[in-house]
Amino acid sequence: MNTITPLLLHYNYFITIFLMVSGLYIVIARGNMIKKLVGLSLFQSSVYLLYVSPGKILEGTAPIIDDAYSIYSNPLPHVLILTAIVVGVATLALGLALVVRIHEAYGTIEEDEIFDREKGL
Amino acid sequence: MRRDLILRIVTKLVLPFILLFALYVHFHGDFGPGGGFQAGVIAAGMLILHSIVFGVRSTKHIAPQGLVEAMIPLGVLIYASVGIPALISGRNFLDYGVFDPHHTPHGHHLGILMVESGVLITVFSTMLAIFYAFSERGRS
Amino acid sequence: MIVLVMTVLLTLLAVITIVIIRQRSLFAVVILTGVYSFLMASVLIVLDAVDVAMTEASVGAGVSTVLLLATLYLTQSREYPQPRPAIIPLFVALGIGGALIAGTFGLPPFGSADTPIHNRTAPRYLAKSIEETTVPNVVTSVLADYRGYDTMGETVVIFTAGIGVLLLLLGRRRRYSSETGEEIQGE
């Protein structure tokens, strides 16, 4: 039990890093542009966890002030991440618009085929 | 989707409640979870659902494309102009105390609501304009 | 109890991520991304971030799924198998992941209250929010009042991204021949 507990209390960091690294892997290894954008948003959502999970206090509650509670989790990471999510979808839309234009110009969204076509020109 | 009777009727029933929920999330954001960002996305989601079931053309009757595109800068303008009265009266930019000099906390409350309205308008219209732009591309 | 719920939800997130990496059908990838967003929203609720969870559920699972599906409709919904080997990306990912995990043991355990981030600005916001703004939801008061500049910047970013999408997609539609690469006149 004594060796398990520290690992369990760092489990959120492990998963955060796993999500981050898999997003990175998708962005580097996959040539399909939509898959790359999905990988980018995986990476982004790992940052949500990275910010929000240290703000949690075990006995705490959501940061909405009420007389019945006295311990609240940290509201500051919530504010930062809330805006980051909406900005994230706006930039995702920008990336998808670029993908649509690339598909119209080259007829494909696979990176390798686009490179081949560029060489052929 | 012309013949999907159940889908159309259920959508018609659900739409006003989604809009009501968006307004609730916006105006109750001071007391519970929510605010301009979430309300804008939920309201835009309502119109996106409408256009998926009834077609983009009928949605553009409710929310004309030109109006939606004009609302994108309007929200930013509202947000920035909330800070102007404070500047004129010699306070810091975006100091909401100026709206109620006798009882500053109420001024802050009012300022928060106005700023959130700016956020709501920008987020709502950006999401909807992006959706319109994608659907436009598919038709031509 | 909270740690147990967190562990289960985070494990599910990791499983879905693995499926997303392996899946070749982009349609399935998009739907799994929606599932991922709902799971992430549940994790955020367990972490007491109710506002963030609401945003993630409506934005991540709602709007971005619709936009991804629209893009699939406009392009293609199948990912081609990769011709090149994936050894180097795997090596890079494992190397960075290993280094980061070694670094996490210096971080405070989950849920502890005596860490620096809980002792600087956050207690002041929590103590003074009602007195200074009459708003009980501290996230709202920090977002729109204490850090109003930040939020204005974020609004401008959303505005800019929206204008960018409109410029890219509402312009004149040009088609290029796939053989010669020359522009085809007319629709």
Side-chain angles (χ1 to χ4, degrees):
Chain A
M1 193 65 200
N2 279 334
T3 53
I4 297 273
T5 314
L7 284 181
L8 209 59
L9 289 179
H10 283 84
Y11 192 66
N12 56 331
Y13 298 118
F14 301 155
I15 294 294
T16 305
I17 288 162
F18 176 74
L19 298 181
M20 200 176 271
V21 165
S22 9
L24 186 71
Y25 173 78
I26 295 179
V27 172
I28 305 174
R30 295 303 161 92
N32 186 296
M33 298 206 166
I34 293 179
K35 196 73 175 276
K36 267 185 200 288
L37 283 173
V38 168
L40 215 56
S41 51
L42 279 185
F43 197 114
Q44 200 170 23
S45 59
S46 79
V47 178
Y48 308 161
L49 269 184
L50 185 71
Y51 266 64
V52 172
S53 64
K56 166 78 180 162
I57 300 176
L58 271 185
E59 315 87 70
T61 178
I64 298 169
I65 307 288
D66 192 274
D67 290 336
Y69 301 96
S70 59
I71 302 174
Y72 303 99
S73 293
N74 196 330
L76 202 49
H78 303 182
V79 176
L80 302 176
I81 293 310
L82 190 123
T83 49
I85 291 177
V86 183
V87 169
V89 76
T91 48
L92 175 74
L94 195 64
L96 290 174
L98 280 171
V99 169
V100 169
R101 288 302 294 260
I102 288 170
H103 185 260
E104 281 171 10
Y106 292 92
T108 177
I109 53 170
E110 299 285 338
E111 207 178 46
D112 297 329
E113 291 178 16
I114 292 170
F115 286 150
D116 290 347
R117 203 147 298 175
E118 285 281 286
K119 273 185 207 137
L121 276 177
Chain B
M1 295 252 180
R2 284 269 171 265
R3 270 170 258 147
D4 255 325
L5 189 67
I6 293 174
L7 206 58
R8 289 161 68 91
I9 300 290
V10 169
T11 309
K12 263 183 193 166
L13 282 176
V14 161
L15 284 180
F17 292 103
I18 300 179
L19 186 61
L20 193 68
F21 182 63
L23 289 174
Y24 168 78
V25 165
H26 177 61
F27 288 104
H28 202 261
D30 308 349
F31 310 104
F37 283 100
Q38 295 89 336
V41 174
I42 293 170
M46 179 202 82
L47 284 175
I48 289 173
L49 173 65
H50 183 273
S51 68
I52 287 173
V53 176
F54 298 103
V56 181
R57 194 168 295 170
S58 63
T59 310
K60 282 184 182 167
H61 281 294
I62 307 171
Q65 194 164 13
L67 178 74
V68 171
E69 282 165 17
M71 275 162 71
I72 300 178
L74 180 73
V76 181
L77 211 62
I78 289 176
Y79 200 127
S81 57
V82 167
I84 301 293
L87 273 186
I88 290 171
S89 65
R91 291 161 183 255
N92 289 328
F93 185 59
L94 290 174
D95 182 349
Y96 310 137
V98 71
F99 295 115
D100 194 346
H102 305 294
H103 191 73
T104 18
H106 282 156
H108 278 271
H109 195 170
L110 201 66
I112 287 174
L113 262 184
M114 285 195 280
V115 159
E116 293 265 16
S117 305
V119 172
L120 166 80
I121 290 171
T122 294
V123 171
F124 165 75
S125 51
T126 306
M127 296 301 156
L128 203 58
I130 288 172
F131 180 74
Y132 279 169
F134 273 92
S135 64
E136 192 96 327
R137 213 66 187 174
R139 263 210 314 221
S140 55
Chain C
M1 188 61 200
I2 282 176
V3 177
L4 188 71
V5 173
M6 269 289 285
T7 310
V8 171
L9 286 175
L10 288 174
T11 312
L12 278 173
L13 268 182
V15 170
I16 285 186
T17 311
I18 293 169
V19 181
I20 287 177
I21 294 176
R22 298 188 57 82
Q23 185 60 251
R24 292 268 172 216
S25 157
L26 291 175
F27 183 73
V29 167
V30 170
I31 299 303
L32 283 169
T33 316
V35 176
Y36 177 94
S37 289
F38 273 126
L39 266 175
M40 182 59 91
S42 319
V43 171
L44 290 168
I45 284 188
V46 177
L47 291 172
D48 287 344
V50 279
D51 292 81
V52 189
M54 196 177 217
T55 320
E56 176 69 19
S58 55
V59 170
V63 175
S64 61
T65 306
V66 168
L67 292 179
L68 280 166
L69 286 177
T71 313
L72 287 191
Y73 173 70
L74 292 176
T75 56
Q76 66 195 36
S77 60
R78 188 88 203 153
E79 183 190 7
Y80 297 122
Q82 212 63 31
R84 61 188 159 180
I87 302 291
I88 296 170
L90 199 67
F91 184 71
V92 169
L94 286 179
I96 292 176
L100 286 173
I101 282 184
T104 57
F105 290 102
L107 291 172
F110 173 72
S112 48
D114 52 351
T115 54
I117 70 160
H118 293 299
N119 296 322
R120 300 281 172 141
T121 48
R124 195 208 171 274
Y125 291 145
L126 287 166
K128 297 274 186 173
S129 176
I130 295 253
E131 186 188 319
E132 286 177 350
T133 66
T134 72
V135 171
N137 186 354
V138 185
V139 174
T140 302
S141 71
V142 175
L143 181 87
D145 196 339
Y146 294 110
R147 288 177 172 248
Y149 276 125
D150 287 15
T151 313
M152 193 169 106
E154 307 275 9
T155 318
V156 174
V157 171
I158 295 165
F159 162 76
T160 316
I163 298 296
V165 173
L166 296 187
L167 280 175
L168 279 172
L169 289 186
L170 292 183
R172 197 166 64 89
R173 186 188 175 92
R174 283 183 288 187
R175 280 187 175 281
Y176 294 89
S177 158
S178 51
E179 286 88 40
T180 60
E182 282 171 5
E183 189 176 340
I184 300 170
Q185 296 296 326
E187 286 294 312

